[in-house]
């Protein structure tokens, strides 16, 4: 029996629990999901308000409109006005009861709502702020799978609601999705923020500047699909911002970073103009360039990052079309501090002459870990070509190589052999047929693409050992170490093997 079930059973079987101190009751409730905590109100009259000690309020379609749970199994669910009315009615009741309890830690409101529901939404947030809430997550799309028959105007989030009269601002974490922002004239409404995540939120460059100036304690900022953002400028050199991620902001055409505490920067988009002024602690960067200028942007990044961010230690980059269309920068810039390089390659074809891997090995002489994430379409025509003549490179620091999306074709084996020959101190080789995809915010996932199975076949393992010295540890798909002795024994005892 899990902790949640044990806590619920204990509470049902012991009438003395309501007499316990609030701190103990709150600990019991914290073991339950919010919807299960609310259900304890039907146990008895004594239990009718015990759930209000739960620190985290979660109001979404599953919790609030449980009677529609069967319909939510469909890929798309049409949200009608009666669904919205019922949702607002129930959340109104939940918040009225919850305000009778102790301090609130977080609130999540996730449901397709709009401007016409403004008074309800604002009242919910205001009530949470009055209860000392520290984390607010407002998602007015409700998540994926929801469809609306109308196109209502978006709700405008009033930042002034974050400050309750007579109290200091307690909100440290703010997440908004599919809404707008009002005027930022009240500076103290953002004074306590530590993290800020905005997705599909309408705000101007001027509003962004005001946010960055007023969020004196802001350490993490994540912006995604914000349609009105044109220029991003971090000009407060003493800003506490440590993590910054900008994704798919279609109108953004320029960004400037000037912050001495910035450590991690992630960018996805089609911008080709970026300026790093003073970022002495920036050690980790992720770039995924899109659009017609993606090749030029990648070249520009490789040409300038070595000089703009010499202290860079981790580079994670999506490298679109490394084949004939990609022209490497003239000369080889030296990344004097890069220890870990992640390169996502799409497409990965035999027509590619592999000159880029020589470029990488030369440009990062202190590289210790190299990860190649390959994307190969099943319909791609793989050509048997003559061995590519690549210049010899001796890399003295490369110890670990990871290759994902490996299919074992001629082109990949040639690349693998070149890497193994160049990395004279290589200790670990990780090979996986699965595709490894970066989702952002240090989150990875594996996907099956055009091939089945998560482990390398015996035949492929034997091919690996034809180019990889046995002294090097090889890990196959699923991160299982390959035992060379067992593989050879299995091959000898195979019914199809020739003695």
């Amino acid at each position: 029996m899990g902790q949640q079930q044990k806590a619920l059973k204990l509470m049902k079987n012991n009438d003395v629990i309501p007499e316990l101190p609030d701190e103990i009751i709150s600990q019991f409730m914290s073991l339950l999901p919010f919807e299960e905590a609310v259900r304890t109100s039907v146990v008895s009259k004594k239990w009718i308000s015990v759930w209000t000690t739960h620190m985290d309020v979660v109001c979404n379609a599953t919790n609030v409109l449980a009677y529609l749970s069967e319909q939510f199994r469909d890929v798309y669910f049409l949200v009608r006005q009666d669904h919205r009315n019922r949702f607002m009615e129930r959340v109104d009741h939940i918040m009225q009861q919850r305000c009778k309890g102790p301090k609130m830690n977080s609130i999540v409101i996730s449901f397709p709502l709009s401007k016409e529901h403004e008074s309800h939404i604002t009242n919910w947030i205001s009530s949470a702020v009055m209860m000392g809430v520290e984390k607010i997550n407002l998602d007015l799309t409700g998540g994926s799978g929801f469809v609306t028959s109308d196109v209502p105007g978006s709700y405008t989030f009033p930042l002034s609601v974050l400050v309750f009269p007579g109290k200091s601002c307690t909100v440290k974490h703010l997440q908004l999705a599919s809404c707008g922002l009002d005027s930022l004239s009240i500076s103290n409404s953002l004074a306590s923020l530590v993290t800020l995540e905005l997705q599909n939120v309408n705000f101007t460059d001027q509003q962004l500047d005001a946010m960055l100036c007023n969020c004196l304690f802001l350490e993490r900022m994540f912006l995604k699909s914000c349609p009105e953002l044109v220029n991003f400028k971090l000009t407060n050199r003493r800003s506490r911002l440590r993590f910054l991620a900008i994704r798919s902001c279609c109108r953004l055409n320029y960004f400037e970073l000037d912050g001495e505490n910035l450590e991690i920067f992630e960018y996805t988009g089609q911008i080709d103009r970026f300026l790093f002024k003073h970022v002495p602690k920036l050690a980790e960067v992720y770039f995924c360039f899109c659009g017609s200028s993606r090749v030029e942007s990648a070249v520009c990044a490789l040409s300038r990052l070595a000089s703009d961010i010499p202290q860079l230690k981790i580079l994670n980059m999506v490298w679109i079309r490394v084949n004939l269309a990609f022209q490497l920068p003239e000369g080889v810039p030296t990344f004097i501090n890069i220890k870990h390089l992640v390169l996502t390659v799409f497409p990965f074809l035999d027509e590619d002459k592999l000159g880029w891997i020589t470029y990488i090995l030369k440009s990062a002489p202190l590289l210790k870990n190299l990860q190649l994430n390959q994307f190969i379409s099943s319909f791609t025509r793989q050509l048997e070509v003559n061995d590519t003549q690549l210049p010899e490179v001796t890399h003295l620091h490369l110890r670990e190589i990871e290759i994902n999306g490996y299919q074992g074709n001629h082109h990949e084996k040639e690349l693998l052999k070149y890497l193994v020959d160049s990395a004279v101190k290589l200790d670990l080789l990780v090979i996986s047929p699965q595709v490894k995809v970066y989702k952002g915010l240090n989150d990875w996932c594996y996907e099956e693409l055009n091939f089945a199975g998560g482990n390398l076949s015996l035949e492929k393992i034997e091919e690996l050992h034809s180019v990889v010295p046995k002294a090097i540890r090889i890990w196959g798909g699923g991160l299982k170490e390959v035992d060379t002795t067992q593989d050879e024994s299995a091959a000898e005892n195979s019914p199809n093997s020739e003695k």
Side-chain angles (χ1 to χ4, degrees):
M1 186 181 296
Q3 282 186 322
Q4 297 172 358
Q5 292 175 312
K6 287 181 180 179
L8 186 57
K9 182 177 180 180
L10 182 62
M11 287 188 288
K12 287 183 178 180
N13 295 335
N14 293 270
D15 292 336
V16 299
I17 289 181
E19 308 301 326
L20 294 174
D22 291 343
E23 295 79 5
I24 302 299
I25 295 178
S26 179
Q27 289 182 16
F28 276 120
M29 284 295 163
S30 67
L31 297 175
L32 300 173
F34 178 71
E35 63 271 24
E36 295 294 338
V38 174
R39 289 174 186 171
T40 62
S41 62
V42 302
V43 173
S44 68
K45 290 183 179 180
K46 294 182 179 180
W47 284 89
I48 197 168
S49 61
V50 172
W51 69 269
T52 60
T53 63
H54 202 288
M55 301 291 286
D56 304 303
V57 175
V58 181
C59 298
N60 53 31
T62 303
N63 293 353
V64 178
L65 302 179
Y67 70 98
L68 294 175
S69 59
E70 291 296 322
Q71 301 180 50
F72 290 154
R73 294 179 181 179
D74 297 334
V75 177
Y76 297 104
F77 177 78
L78 178 62
V79 178
R80 302 190 305 266
Q81 187 59 44
D82 60 306
H83 297 146
R84 296 190 183 101
N85 293 339
R86 188 60 171 161
F87 181 86
M88 290 187 295
E89 177 184 342
R90 293 192 174 187
V91 176
D92 282 342
H93 177 73
I94 288 173
M95 293 304 297
Q96 288 173 4
Q97 296 300 312
R98 181 58 185 82
C99 285
K100 300 176 183 178
K103 178 183 180 297
M104 186 184 301
N105 181 54
S106 69
I107 181 171
V108 176
I109 304 292
S110 179
F111 197 74
L113 299 173
S114 62
K115 185 178 179 63
E116 61 181 300
H117 315 109
E118 179 177 356
S119 60
H120 292 271
I121 300 172
T122 302
N123 286 337
W124 300 335
I125 301 300
S126 179
S127 297
V129 171
M130 182 181 65
M131 301 298 295
V133 72
E134 295 186 0
K135 182 176 181 178
I136 297 174
N137 184 345
L138 179 63
D139 183 356
L140 298 184
T141 64
S144 60
F146 290 97
V147 178
T148 56
S149 57
D150 51 359
V151 186
S154 62
Y155 168 76
T156 299
F157 186 87
L159 289 167
S160 58
V161 77
L162 299 180
V163 179
F164 194 76
K167 293 186 177 182
S168 58
C169 184
T170 61
V171 181
K172 295 181 179 180
H173 312 282
L174 179 62
Q175 297 174 252
L176 302 177
S178 298
C179 64
L181 289 180
D182 70 350
S183 172
L184 300 178
S185 58
I186 303 179
S187 60
N188 62 350
S189 62
L190 300 172
S192 60
L193 282 187
V194 177
T195 65
L196 177 63
E197 298 185 20
L198 305 177
Q199 180 173 339
N200 193 25
V201 174
N202 293 318
F203 60 88
T204 64
D205 294 355
Q206 291 73 25
Q207 288 177 311
L208 174 64
D209 291 341
M211 280 189 282
L212 292 173
C213 289
N214 295 326
C215 298
L216 301 179
F217 298 98
L218 189 65
E219 295 183 3
R220 294 173 61 88
M221 174 178 277
F222 177 71
L223 307 177
K224 181 179 180 181
S225 302
C226 297
E228 300 301 319
L229 182 62
V230 178
N231 299 291
F232 183 97
K233 294 182 180 181
L234 175 64
T235 56
N236 181 4
R237 181 164 292 190
R238 297 192 178 277
S239 167
R240 297 192 182 188
L241 194 64
R242 297 172 53 247
F243 174 90
L244 172 64
I246 302 177
R247 305 181 109 194
S248 305
C249 295
C250 58
R251 294 189 60 196
L252 183 66
N253 61 26
Y254 176 80
F255 73 75
E256 177 182 322
L257 300 181
D258 189 0
E260 62 182 20
N261 290 307
L262 188 64
E263 298 175 2
I264 302 174
F265 175 63
E266 296 186 359
Y267 175 77
T268 299
Q270 54 186 359
I271 192 172
D272 58 0
R273 299 176 60 199
F274 47 89
L275 178 61
F276 297 95
K277 280 192 173 180
H278 181 70
V279 284
K281 295 182 181 180
L282 184 56
E284 183 173 346
V285 169
Y286 168 79
F287 274 125
C288 178
F289 297 108
C290 311
S292 58
S293 62
R294 60 181 182 268
V295 174
E296 292 78 6
S297 298
V299 171
C300 185
L302 287 174
S303 302
R304 295 180 50 185
L305 288 179
S307 58
D308 290 353
I309 320 176
Q311 74 279 3
L312 191 64
K313 294 182 179 179
I314 302 175
L315 175 59
N316 184 349
M317 188 170 175
V318 176
W319 200 327
I320 303 294
R321 296 191 63 81
V322 302
N323 57 352
L324 300 179
F326 193 93
Q327 298 297 323
L328 293 168
E330 294 184 5
V332 180
T334 301
F335 291 90
I336 59 175
N337 283 300
I338 281 190
K339 303 295 191 302
H340 187 77
L341 175 64
V342 180
L343 203 58
T344 299
V345 181
F346 180 85
F348 193 65
L349 307 174
D350 278 341
E351 286 85 347
D352 173 23
K353 302 305 179 183
L354 298 178
W356 55 274
I357 194 62
T358 302
Y359 181 92
I360 291 298
L361 293 177
K362 289 184 177 180
S363 65
L366 299 182
L367 184 66
K368 291 184 177 180
N369 305 89
L370 173 63
Q371 180 183 140
L372 296 178
N373 300 319
Q374 305 174 165
F375 285 79
I376 308 176
S377 301
S378 59
F379 55 81
T380 299
R381 181 169 59 96
Q382 298 293 340
L383 302 177
E384 290 295 333
V385 297
N386 295 327
D387 292 341
T388 304
Q389 297 298 319
L390 294 172
E392 291 186 7
V393 175
T394 300
H395 202 291
L396 300 176
H397 295 273
L398 188 56
R399 304 298 296 267
E400 297 182 8
I401 296 177
E402 177 181 345
I403 301 180
N404 299 294
Y406 185 85
Q407 289 186 317
N409 58 49
H410 175 84
H411 182 262
E412 291 174 304
K413 287 187 288 185
E414 190 174 348
L415 170 64
L416 180 59
K417 187 177 186 307
Y418 183 71
L419 284 172
V420 170
D421 291 342
S422 301
V424 294
K425 293 188 178 181
L426 186 65
D427 176 61
L428 176 64
L429 176 64
V430 179
I431 301 288
S432 173
Q434 293 179 305
V435 173
K436 191 174 183 180
V437 180
Y438 187 65
K439 300 172 65 177
L441 306 178
N442 289 320
D443 186 17
W444 291 88
C445 70
Y446 283 92
E447 296 182 359
E448 299 287 349
L449 185 64
N450 300 323
F451 42 80
N455 295 311
L456 293 175
S457 66
L458 178 61
E459 179 183 355
K460 297 297 183 183
I461 292 173
E462 291 174 343
E463 290 179 355
L464 287 177
H465 283 297
S466 68
V467 296
V468 179
K470 293 183 179 181
I472 297 176
R473 292 177 296 156
I474 301 178
W475 289 65
L479 296 183
K480 295 181 179 179
E481 187 165 10
V482 174
D483 188 324
T484 308
T485 304
Q486 291 181 2
D487 295 335
E488 292 175 349
S489 176
E492 291 176 357
N493 296 326
S494 172
N496 298 324
S497 65
E498 295 183 4
K499 299 289 185 177

